[in-house]
Amino acid sequence: MTTQIRLLLADDHPIVRRGLRAVLETEPDFTIVAEAATAEQAVSAAAAGDVDVVLMDLQFGDGMSGDQATAAILAQPGAPRVLVLTTYDSDADIIAAVEAGATGYLLKDAPPDELGAAVRAAAAGRSALAPTVAARLMNRMRSPSVALSRREIEVLDLVGQGLSNHDISKRLYLSQATVKSHLVHIYAKLGVDSRTAAVALATEHGILRR
Amino acid sequence: MTTQIRLLLADDHPIVRRGLRAVLETEPDFTIVAEAATAEQAVSAAAAGDVDVVLMDLQFGDGMSGDQATAAILAQPGAPRVLVLTTYDSDADIIAAVEAGATGYLLKDAPPDELGAAVRAAAAGRSALAPTVAARLMNRMRSPSVALSRREIEVLDLVGQGLSNHDISKRLYLSQATVKSHLVHIYAKLGVDSRTAAVALATEHGILRR
DNA sequence: GCCGTCATCGATCGAAAGGTGGAGCCGCGG
DNA sequence: CCGCGGCTCCACCTTTCGATCGATGACGGC
C-alpha cells in the first residue's frame, strides 16, 4: 500500500477550496491537513511541517502573491513540494512560478483525475505540467530570452501608460535623448519598431503588467 | 416552509462546480438540478424549464461566452433568473452581464453565506450585487459613458497590437486618412492625445481585451 | 587593465503620428 | 423630412517619434 500524501490547499476562494476538498477527499491516499485563504497563511501552515504537497493558487486578493509564497515555502528546510494550480496561463505567471521552484503547474479547468495524478507526481518529486503550460515553456526556451535591463523596463512601463518621450524624460529626470536611446535598445531586443508594438509584445510575454 | 429553489450550475471548471455543489447542497431549500461545463450546455439546460436560478460563470474556455449565454437564456419565455458568478470584475464584463439581463453579479471570493443569500434574492427577483461591483456600476453611471463605435474599437484593438496607421488601413481596407479620423474621434472620447495612452485607458476600462 | 553592459546625453533627418477643417454617404428616429 | 451620428475620405500643417550616427562615465568580471 502507498503512504498517505498530506495536502495543504491555498486559495483565496472558499468555493474553490471546497471543490478541491470534494475532489481530492475521494482519493483514499490523500489527506487534507490544512487550508489557507491567503498566501501568508499558506507559508506559516507549510512551515508547521506536516505537509507533503501544497496546492497553491497564484492570484490572491491582496497581500503576498502565490509565487512569492512558493519561494518563501521552498526556502525553508524540509519544505514540501508546491504544485501551482491557477485559472489562467499568462507567460509571466508561469515563469514566475517555475522560477520560484514550483514542482508542477496545473490549470483549474483540468479534469479531476488529472489533478490527482499531478498531486501524486508532485509528491514523488516528478514535475507535472498542463499541456498548454508546457508548450509555453518550450516557446520561451526557443525564443532568445528577452532580457530587458531594469531601466529599460521602467521606461517601457511608462510608455505603456501612454506617456510621451518628453513626459518620461521628466518623470525619470532624464533627457529625451536618453529615453529615445533606451527605446532603441528595447526595440532591438524585442524585434519591433514602434512603441505600441513594444508594449504589445512585452505585455504578451509578461514583461509588463497590465 | 419555503419552496425549493432549483439551481443550474454553469462553469467550465469542474472544481468550481464541485465547490458550488458542496456549498449549496448544505442549504435545505436548494436543489441542484443540472450542471453545465459550457455556455451552450447552459442554454439548453435552462431551456428544459425546470430551473429557477442559473449560476453563470462569465469565462468559458471556448465557444459562447457567459454573457451571450445569459442573453440567450433570458430571451426564452419562462426564463429563469441568471446570477453571474465570476472571478474578476472588469468593467467590460460587468456591463456586458448587466446589459444581458443578469439579476445579480457576485465574485467567487464571496463568502459562502453571501452566496446563499444572493441565490435567494435572485430567486425572488431581487438583484444582488457584490459591493465592488456596485461601486463600479455607480462609477460608470457618473462618468460619461465612453461608448466607442464598433469600428473605433476595431481600430483601437489593432493599435493595441502594435500596428501602424498604414498597417491598420491595409488590414481594414481603408485609407490612412480614415484610420486617423477614427483615432481622432477615439482620442476625443477618451480624453487622451496619443495612441499608447488610448490603449492604456481602454485596457484599464475593459474596452480592450489584453 | 581590458571588455562588455548599462546608463547617460547630443545631433540630425526622414517618417509617422497628431491637429484642424472640411466633405459625402447612409441609416435611424423624432 | 430632416437632423444626427457613424463611417468613409481628403489636404495641410505641426509635433513627435524612430533611425543613425556619435560620445562619456560607471561598474563588474576575466
Side-chain angles (χ1 to χ4, degrees), chain B residues 137-198:
Chain B
L137 273 183
M138 297 300 293
N139 209 333
R140 181 149 290 265
M141 291 306 181
R142 254 175 307 173
S143 73
S145 66
V146 184
L148 297 185
S149 72
R150 203 172 317 155
R151 200 58 160 171
E152 286 164 354
I153 290 178
E154 203 171 351
V155 169
L156 188 53
D157 180 50
L158 294 177
V159 169
Q161 292 175 29
L163 302 193
S164 68
N165 291 346
H166 181 244
D167 293 338
I168 296 171
S169 71
K170 281 193 300 185
R171 186 77 72 89
L172 298 181
Y173 304 105
L174 299 176
S175 79
Q176 293 190 43
T178 307
V179 175
K180 285 180 153 200
S181 181
H182 284 309
L183 283 176
V184 166
H185 296 147
I186 292 169
Y187 298 158
K189 287 182 180 178
L190 296 182
V192 299
D193 56 0
S194 80
R195 52 210 294 112
T196 47

Side-chain angles (χ1 to χ4, degrees), chain B residues 1 5 10-11 23-24 71 88 92-95 113 116 119 123 125-126 128 144 161 163-164 171 174 189 200:
Chain B
M1 70 170 278
I5 299 177
D11 197 304
V23 167
L24 295 171
Y88 215 64
D93 291 344
I94 294 174
I95 59 165
D113 54 342
V119 170
R126 285 175 288 120
Q161 292 175 29
L163 302 193
S164 68
R171 186 77 72 89
L174 299 176
K189 287 182 180 178

